[in-house]
Amino acid sequence: MSDAVGSAKPETGGIANPPVIILIEPQLGDNIGKAARAMLNCGLVDLRLVRPRDGWPNERATANASGADIVIDNTKVFEREEDALADLNRVYVTTARTRDAIKPVFTPKGLAPEMRNVISRGEKVGVMFGPERTGVRNEHIAMGDAVVTVPLNPGFTSLNLAQAVLLIGYEWWQAGVDVPDYQMMMNDTFPATKDDMERLFVHLEAELDASGFFRVEEKRPNMQRNIRNIFNRANLTHQEVQTLRGMIVAMRGGKYKSKD
Amino acid sequence: MSDAVGSAKPETGGIANPPVIILIEPQLGDNIGKAARAMLNCGLVDLRLVRPRDGWPNERATANASGADIVIDNTKVFEREEDALADLNRVYVTTARTRDAIKPVFTPKGLAPEMRNVISRGEKVGVMFGPERTGVRNEHIAMGDAVVTVPLNPGFTSLNLAQAVLLIGYEWWQAGVDVPDYQMMMNDTFPATKDDMERLFVHLEAELDASGFFRVEEKRPNMQRNIRNIFNRANLTHQEVQTLRGMIVAMRGGKYKSKD
């Protein structure tokens, strides 16, 4: 049990103790900063560096964090992996390839609910990222409880550090939000009712009749159906129906006043 | 219907006609290159630039693509958005915030199966990304069939260009692969059978008996259960059971020969 369970800050999406991100031997400050930015995008705020090449603090990291100061200012630096992991109950190690170790393997999508379960029991978890060029070494794999591998184009799997951090964080955040995968942006209006649509069609057909559009009587039923299909498919709003009726009136030389 | 449905290249994960990525007014070549790298990570190969600030080709883009040459070499440049989109049947526009438009809104996760459905009908689709600092303008939203928004920490939603491209591509790729979210890395061995485990326990308990470990007879059943729980929980492999039995033999001063 960690004693670090504190108040849930808003920037973490209400989670008191979100996963810690541990970067082993990171090189360019640019990449550390971009990783920090990706972390805050996803409600992760606890960054730890083991033997950063260019020391710490690092101006390039701050510049590339693009305002994720809360992450940069609280970043901790360690000389040894063991010290960076000491207070964690569970550690997951990211790796691009299978190893000589018997370990559970998660995708980022599978890891997210796993971490949320473990954290809900009061445990503290971390995700470890290896050196940028070489990835984690077998000694790092041995420090972890499980590994994480992102399913990607098998011919081109190499992710940069910030992008690997982003994918772990992205799935972490998605597992905690309840946004529908598809919705209609409605902008203070409402979908048209079937009555709105029927009035539109009656209006339109009357004006088409008056203007001589339905020349061949036997084709009328089919043409009416086609026209109704066009507008039904458009998922119109109430306001858009009024706009269309205004267009009809204008084209017929009149002035439309909404009566609905 | 696009006439560009050609042979499915292996780098696209077997999809003949994967989504096109359109970047409007991209600035730093670094970011274009990183976006190209993220695309190839996810099986996307068709990149189009509208009014890139620093022209094209761009050395920084090539360097930052880290080997995604197939994307860089085939990148096309356009002066007008309309020309970049001309051969596409459906266009999705990424945006960080809601707009004054009545549009369907997808998450990246919802967009992936939508695009796969549309592509399977032979249509050609693209995803448009706006200028880096400002994002897309309302005129761009109007060019699209729907918008895409990534659910992220509401206090810090700003993604850099390559990271936004990565998240769209990541979900695109995930929707086409069938990797279990959790599996056990087995390294050419097999999970132990219950018979392996039973032989281990009988062996261990016999040697614990012989060494006087079960001093208090009434505690024996409980202690045996606890010990069995420890090893059952470890999900041992057949090989690991042999290793443990070898350890028992060694600690008792003998030499273990596997008979199983």
Side-chain angles (χ1 to χ4, degrees):
Chain A
M1 266 292 271
S2 164
D3 61 357
V5 178
S7 58
K9 301 192 185 81
E11 62 268 20
T12 66
I15 299 282
N17 217 355
V20 174
I21 298 294
I22 304 114
L23 308 183
I24 309 295
E25 298 169 6
Q27 301 188 354
L28 288 175
D30 300 54
N31 293 342
I32 301 172
K34 289 191 167 89
R37 177 180 180 180
M39 285 175 61
L40 191 57
N41 284 144
C42 305
L44 304 179
V45 292
D46 192 345
L47 177 61
R48 302 180 183 182
L49 309 177
V50 178
R51 301 183 298 276
R53 186 188 65 187
D54 301 337
W56 193 261
N58 181 316
E59 276 182 22
R60 296 296 304 161
T62 304
N64 278 276
S66 302
D69 298 340
I70 188 176
V71 179
I72 295 291
D73 295 347
N74 291 313
T75 297
K76 294 175 197 71
V77 177
F78 297 86
E79 194 52 42
R80 302 191 324 145
E81 283 84 346
E82 290 81 352
D83 297 327
L85 306 180
D87 63 325
L88 304 181
N89 301 98
R90 252 163 227 261
V91 172
Y92 305 92
V93 184
T94 59
T95 172
R97 56 198 166 86
T98 320
R99 303 299 183 119
D100 290 347
I102 316 300
K103 293 272 182 189
V105 184
F106 289 95
T107 62
K109 186 161 173 242
L111 180 65
E114 154 83 5
M115 292 197 298
R116 286 182 181 267
N117 283 340
V118 172
I119 288 169
S120 73
R121 299 196 299 260
E123 298 186 35
K124 192 160 182 174
V125 309
V127 184
M128 183 194 279
F129 296 80
E132 281 148 288
R133 273 167 217 286
T134 58
V136 287
R137 297 184 286 269
N138 285 334
E139 72 207 60
H140 297 127
I141 300 278
M143 292 174 191
D145 295 279
V147 302
V148 194
T149 300
V150 187
L152 290 172
N153 181 355
F156 196 75
T157 57
S158 143
L159 283 170
N160 81 28
L161 182 61
Q163 288 179 322
V165 169
L166 175 66
L167 291 182
I168 299 296
Y170 167 77
E171 289 286 13
W172 161 259
W173 185 266
Q174 301 313 304
V177 296
D178 190 19
V179 176
D181 286 339
Y182 169 88
Q183 59 186 312
M184 200 69 193
M185 195 191 286
M186 270 297 151
N187 188 30
D188 292 335
T189 180
F190 297 95
T193 62
K194 291 306 168 199
D195 183 59
D196 290 334
M197 296 304 290
E198 185 59 27
R199 286 167 190 265
L200 167 65
F201 293 137
V202 167
H203 181 181
L204 177 59
E205 287 157 8
E207 295 298 338
L208 289 173
D209 255 335
S211 59
F213 177 80
F214 294 116
R215 282 169 294 124
V216 184
E217 189 57 30
E218 70 223 34
K219 288 190 180 171
R220 173 196 289 265
N222 205 20
M223 292 178 85
Q224 283 188 346
R225 268 199 303 278
N226 290 346
I227 291 167
R228 288 183 174 226
N229 277 335
I230 290 169
F231 290 103
N232 275 329
R233 205 163 55 220
N235 293 325
L236 299 175
T237 67
H238 178 80
Q239 185 53 52
E240 289 167 340
V241 170
Q242 306 313 311
T243 301
L244 286 170
R245 294 186 66 179
M247 290 163 59
I248 295 165
V249 172
M251 286 190 289
R252 291 287 293 154
K255 199 166 176 182
Y256 176 65
K257 289 180 190 152
S258 170
K259 279 162 284 182
D260 318 272
Chain B
M1 267 291 271
S2 162
D3 60 358
V5 178
S7 56
K9 300 191 185 84
E11 61 270 20
T12 67
I15 300 282
N17 217 354
V20 174
I21 298 294
I22 303 113
L23 308 183
I24 309 294
E25 296 168 7
Q27 301 187 353
L28 288 175
D30 301 54
N31 293 342
I32 301 172
K34 289 191 168 87
R37 177 182 179 177
M39 286 175 60
L40 191 55
N41 284 144
C42 305
L44 304 179
V45 292
D46 192 346
L47 176 61
R48 302 180 183 182
L49 310 177
V50 178
R51 301 183 298 275
R53 187 189 64 187
D54 301 336
W56 194 261
N58 180 316
E59 277 183 20
R60 296 296 304 160
T62 305
N64 278 275
S66 301
D69 298 340
I70 187 175
V71 179
I72 295 292
D73 294 347
N74 291 314
T75 297
K76 294 175 196 69
V77 178
F78 298 86
E79 194 53 42
R80 303 190 323 144
E81 284 83 347
E82 291 80 352
D83 297 328
L85 306 181
D87 62 327
L88 304 181
N89 301 96
R90 253 163 224 259
V91 172
Y92 306 93
V93 185
T94 59
T95 171
R97 57 201 166 82
T98 320
R99 302 298 184 120
D100 291 347
I102 317 298
K103 292 271 182 189
V105 184
F106 289 95
T107 62
K109 186 160 172 243
L111 180 65
E114 154 83 4
M115 293 196 297
R116 286 183 181 267
N117 283 340
V118 172
I119 289 170
S120 72
R121 299 197 298 262
E123 297 185 36
K124 192 161 181 174
V125 309
V127 184
M128 183 194 280
F129 296 80
E132 281 149 289
R133 275 168 216 287
T134 58
V136 286
R137 298 184 285 270
N138 284 335
E139 74 206 58
H140 297 126
I141 299 280
M143 292 174 190
D145 295 278
V147 302
V148 194
T149 300
V150 187
L152 288 173
N153 180 356
F156 195 76
T157 57
S158 142
L159 283 170
N160 81 28
L161 181 61
Q163 288 181 321
V165 170
L166 176 66
L167 291 182
I168 299 296
Y170 168 77
E171 290 287 12
W172 161 260
W173 186 264
Q174 301 313 303
V177 295
D178 189 20
V179 177
D181 286 338
Y182 170 88
Q183 59 186 312
M184 200 68 193
M185 192 191 287
M186 271 294 152
N187 188 30
D188 292 334
T189 179
F190 298 95
T193 63
K194 292 305 170 198
D195 183 59
D196 291 333
M197 296 304 289
E198 185 60 26
R199 286 166 191 264
L200 167 66
F201 293 137
V202 167
H203 180 181
L204 176 60
E205 287 157 8
E207 294 298 338
L208 289 173
D209 255 336
S211 59
F213 177 80
F214 295 118
R215 281 169 293 123
V216 185
E217 189 57 31
E218 69 221 36
K219 289 191 180 170
R220 172 197 290 265
N222 206 20
M223 293 177 84
Q224 283 188 345
R225 269 198 302 276
N226 290 345
I227 292 167
R228 286 181 175 227
N229 277 335
I230 291 170
F231 290 103
N232 275 329
R233 205 162 55 221
N235 292 325
L236 300 175
T237 66
H238 178 81
Q239 184 54 52
E240 288 168 339
V241 170
Q242 306 313 310
T243 301
L244 287 170
R245 294 186 67 179
M247 289 163 60
I248 295 165
V249 172
M251 286 191 288
R252 291 288 291 153
K255 198 167 176 182
Y256 176 66
K257 287 178 192 155
S258 169
K259 277 161 286 182
D260 317 271

